[in-house]
């Protein structure tokens, strides 16, 4: 009986862990689908609007009202699925920001998702609306545009920053492992390896500095209200993170070299070739 | 050994009428027990408890759903796609590589390299959607 219970628990854990990954993928695919649909509906709206402005017939007016209503509905839907995708990214990606900030962002995303759902319900609940009725509802969305963009850029930045932070942590752990290995060597052999390890630590340090710059940019981004102010900061943040990743790639090269030399010294089964083969790249 | 047996008929003699064998146990009141105290007529394994059956059923369903979702069967354009396992999940077999401290470090380095390759800082697909926030228009009379 205990075995069966343990088996069920093990499979439930496996199920939940796998399900969260697949769920995140599903939400991203759903967003792509809804965004594509929005673009199609938008084209229909533009066509109907131009026809109405040109001919001003009753038919073209009805067509314009219908496509405007569809557009507003689909705009809510596209943004809603985008926020859901961001939310699942924030939840599933490793090392994403501080727990408090992550929860804060998720809470804000939830709030916006609820608001979008309410607005969507209101638009769909209108029977035979006029264009003015629809524009009044649309204006509410426009009023929130900067808030929506700010939340989008912040969530995206936090997610990317978390990814690089996670890489940096991995590099530090490997460096510590290598330090322990070098510590066990004879004094003459250890001297060279220690110098090489300092090079790795230097790359880790430079990577960390770039992460700190990215964090500073994220703080700056939080204060900006307008999109034209947010975009350049977001761009700078991505440059910082790219630099940080570059330093970590260099750290990896050095770590690989040290690891191979250590194996040569210890003459173990873990040959240089075996590591190269697994990585698919040479030194 | 004390029982009396009838002598078999000698060849050419009239065969003695066969005695009807009693194949069924006479109905007894109460449950017959062996010396060990076990009920041989009603073995415990024949009727499992329904609770266990429910547990086994739930476990099987959980396994099937877990496998289905785990391998990520997704339907796209009417075709079932089974993606190849994520490189992050593929690690060297513990059978072919001895589990020494070096192997652990080697795994970490290999895994780190894979993570470096996988991280896409562009994430262009997740850039904020380009939505038209102002759709108002005026009809000129």
């Amino acid at each position: 009986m205990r075995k069966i219970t343990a088996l069920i628990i093990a499979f439930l854990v496996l199920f939940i862990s796998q399900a969260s990954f697949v769920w995140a993928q599903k939400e991203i695919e759903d967003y792509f689908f809804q965004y594509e649909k929005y673009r199609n509906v938008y084209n229909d709206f533009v066509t109907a609007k131009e026809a109405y402005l040109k001919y001003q017939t009753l038919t073209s007016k009805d067509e314009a009202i219908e496509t405007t209503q569809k557009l507003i509905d689909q705009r809510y839907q596209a943004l809603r699925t985008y926020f859901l995708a961001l939310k699942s990214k924030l939840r599933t990606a490793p090392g994403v920001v501080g727990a408090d900030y992550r929860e804060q962002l998720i809470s804000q995303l939830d709030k916006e998702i609820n608001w979008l759902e309410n607005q969507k319900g209101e638009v769909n609940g209108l029977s035979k609306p006029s264009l003015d009725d629809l524009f009044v509802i649309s204006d509410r969305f426009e009023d929130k545009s900067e808030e929506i963009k700010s939340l989008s850029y912040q969530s995206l930045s936090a997610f990317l920053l978390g990814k690089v932070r996670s890489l940096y942590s991995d590099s530090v752990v490997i460096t510590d492992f290598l330090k322990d290995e070098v510590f066990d060597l004879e004094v003459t052999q250890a001297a060279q390896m220690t110098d090489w390890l300092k090079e790795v630590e230097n790359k880790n340090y430079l990577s960390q500095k770039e992460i700190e710059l990215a964090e500073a940019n994220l703080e700056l981004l939080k204060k900006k209200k307008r999109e034209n102010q947010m975009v350049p900061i977001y761009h700078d943040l991505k440059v910082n993170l790219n630099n940080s990743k570059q330093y970590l790639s260099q750290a990896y090269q050095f770590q690989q070299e040290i690891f191979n030399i250590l194996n040569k010294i210890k003459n173990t089964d873990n040959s240089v070739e075996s590591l190269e083969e697994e990585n698919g790249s040479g030194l | 050994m004390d029982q009396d047996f009838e002598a078999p008929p000698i060849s050419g003699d009239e065969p003695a009428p066969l005695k009807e064998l009693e194949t069924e146990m006479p109905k007894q009141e109460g449950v017959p027990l062996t010396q060990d105290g076990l009920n041989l007529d009603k073995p415990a394994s024949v009727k499992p408890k329904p609770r266990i059956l429910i547990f086994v059923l739930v476990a099987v369903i959980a396994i099937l759903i877990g496998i289905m979702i785990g391998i990520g069967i997704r339907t796209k354009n009417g075709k079932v796609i089974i993606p190849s396992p994520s490189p992050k999940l593929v690690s060297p077999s513990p059978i072919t590589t001895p589990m020494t401290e070096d192997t652990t470090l080697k795994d970490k380095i290999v895994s780190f390299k894979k993570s470096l390759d996988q991280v896409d800082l562009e994430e262009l697909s997740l850039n904020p959607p380009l939505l038209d926030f102002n759709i108002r228009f005026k009809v000129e009379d």
Side-chain angles (χ1 to χ4, degrees), chain A residues 14-240:
Chain A
L14 179 76
F15 172 78
I16 291 164
S17 62
Q18 290 294 311
S20 62
F21 170 75
V22 176
W23 245 245
Q25 283 301 113
K26 189 178 166 290
E27 278 171 347
I28 289 164
E29 282 172 16
D30 191 25
Y31 159 61
F32 292 157
F33 174 76
Q34 295 296 344
Y35 188 37
E36 187 59 34
K37 202 171 162 188
Y38 164 80
R39 283 192 283 219
N40 292 334
V41 172
Y42 186 76
N43 288 338
D44 294 344
F45 162 75
V46 171
T47 310
K49 181 180 92 174
E50 283 169 0
Y52 177 47
L53 290 174
K54 193 174 177 183
Y55 304 113
Q56 295 189 20
T57 59
L58 291 172
T59 312
S60 63
K61 186 182 177 185
D62 278 358
E63 187 73 15
I65 290 171
E66 192 187 328
T67 52
T68 306
Q69 191 172 13
K70 276 185 186 170
L71 176 69
I72 294 172
D73 174 58
Q74 191 54 36
R75 195 171 56 175
Y76 288 136
Q77 183 66 352
L79 192 62
R80 184 183 150 274
T81 50
Y82 175 67
F83 281 164
L84 283 170
L86 276 182
K87 200 175 116 178
S88 61
K89 278 278 185 187
L90 281 172
R91 275 204 197 284
T92 55
V96 170
V97 296
D100 288 347
Y101 185 50
R102 186 204 329 236
E103 289 310 314
Q104 188 191 326
L105 284 174
I106 288 173
S107 160
Q108 280 179 23
L109 286 168
D110 277 335
K111 196 178 144 196
E112 294 303 334
I113 290 165
N114 282 338
W115 184 83
L116 290 166
E117 280 170 358
N118 288 337
Q119 295 298 305
K120 196 174 177 319
E122 197 174 327
V123 169
N124 289 330
L126 292 174
S127 62
K128 295 187 178 177
S130 68
L131 270 174
D132 281 338
D133 293 338
L134 294 171
F135 288 152
V136 166
I137 291 176
S138 180
D139 287 347
R140 293 180 206 154
F141 187 73
E142 194 184 348
D143 291 343
K144 278 179 89 82
S145 65
E146 299 300 340
E147 198 179 322
I148 285 166
K149 284 170 187 167
S150 173
L151 183 56
S152 304
Y153 281 113
Q154 278 190 50
S155 301
L156 204 51
S157 303
F159 164 64
L160 295 176
L161 188 55
K163 274 184 168 185
V164 178
R165 269 200 193 125
S166 177
L167 286 177
Y168 169 76
S169 301
D170 289 349
S171 183
V172 169
V173 167
I174 291 168
T175 310
D176 288 344
F177 263 86
L178 287 170
K179 268 187 198 169
D180 291 343
E181 293 284 314
V182 169
F183 186 75
D184 294 339
L185 295 176
E186 290 173 20
V187 181
T188 48
Q189 290 169 328
Q192 186 197 10
M193 292 291 104
T194 308
D195 285 346
W196 286 19
L197 271 175
K198 278 181 187 165
E199 291 291 332
V200 177
E201 285 179 319
N202 186 39
K203 294 296 175 192
N204 283 344
Y205 173 77
L206 291 171
S207 166
Q208 189 193 7
K209 285 288 153 196
E210 290 291 339
I211 289 173
E212 284 171 10
L213 287 173
E215 285 169 345
N217 272 324
L218 179 56
E219 289 304 314
L220 204 59
L221 189 67
K222 288 179 196 173
K223 293 172 190 163
K224 300 298 175 191
K225 302 286 177 198
R226 304 189 70 81
E227 191 179 21
N228 58 3
Q229 295 172 321
M230 289 178 224
V231 171
I233 297 170
Y234 175 67
H235 178 262
D236 287 349
L237 182 141
K238 283 215 296 187
V239 170
N240 296 143

Side-chain angles (χ1 to χ4, degrees), chain B residues 79-127:
Chain B
K79 290 178 181 176
V80 175
I81 296 167
I82 303 173
S84 58
S86 163
K88 210 171 184 178
L89 300 174
V90 178
S91 57
S93 165
I95 300 164
T96 53
T97 51
M99 288 299 287
T100 61
E101 194 176 298
D102 283 344
T103 313
T104 313
L105 178 56
K106 190 170 139 184
D107 286 345
K108 282 183 190 300
I109 294 174
V110 170
S111 165
F112 178 47
K113 170 67 175 159
K114 282 175 184 166
S115 301
L116 271 172
D117 292 342
Q118 280 174 355
V119 167
D120 171 23
L121 290 176
E122 289 308 311
E123 287 285 344
L124 290 173
S125 55
L126 271 182
N127 275 348

Side-chain angles (χ1 to χ4, degrees), chain B:
Chain B
M1 294 296 281
D2 298 332
Q3 287 175 341
D4 292 329
F5 290 100
E6 282 183 18
I10 300 161
S11 179
D13 291 351
E14 281 288 317
L18 288 171
K19 198 175 181 181
E20 195 176 334
L21 293 171
E22 289 181 359
T23 53
E24 287 183 9
M25 287 287 288
K27 285 181 183 175
Q28 293 176 5
E29 287 189 10
V31 181
L33 296 174
T34 61
Q35 285 179 344
D36 297 325
L38 296 169
N39 181 356
L40 294 175
D41 293 330
K42 295 182 179 178
S45 59
V46 174
K47 281 190 175 180
K49 291 178 181 176
R51 204 169 48 172
I52 295 172
L53 282 174
I54 291 167
F55 264 112
V56 172
L57 200 67
V58 170
V60 169
I61 292 167
I63 291 165
L64 288 175
I65 296 171
I67 291 168
M68 290 268 284
I69 294 179
I71 58 174
I73 294 177
R74 276 167 278 169
T75 307
K76 198 175 181 183
N77 299 331
K79 290 178 181 176
V80 175
I81 296 167
I82 303 173
S84 58
S86 163
K88 210 171 184 178
L89 300 174
V90 178
S91 57
S93 165
I95 300 164
T96 53
T97 51
M99 288 299 287
T100 61
E101 194 176 298
D102 283 344
T103 313
T104 313
L105 178 56
K106 190 170 139 184
D107 286 345
K108 282 183 190 300
I109 294 174
V110 170
S111 165
F112 178 47
K113 170 67 175 159
K114 282 175 184 166
S115 301
L116 271 172
D117 292 342
Q118 280 174 355
V119 167
D120 171 23
L121 290 176
E122 289 308 311
E123 287 285 344
L124 290 173
S125 55
L126 271 182
N127 275 348
L130 296 170
L131 301 174
D132 190 348
F133 284 86
N134 183 5
I135 56 170
R136 227 174 224 284
F137 61 91
K138 266 188 179 178
V139 184
E140 291 176 10
D141 295 324

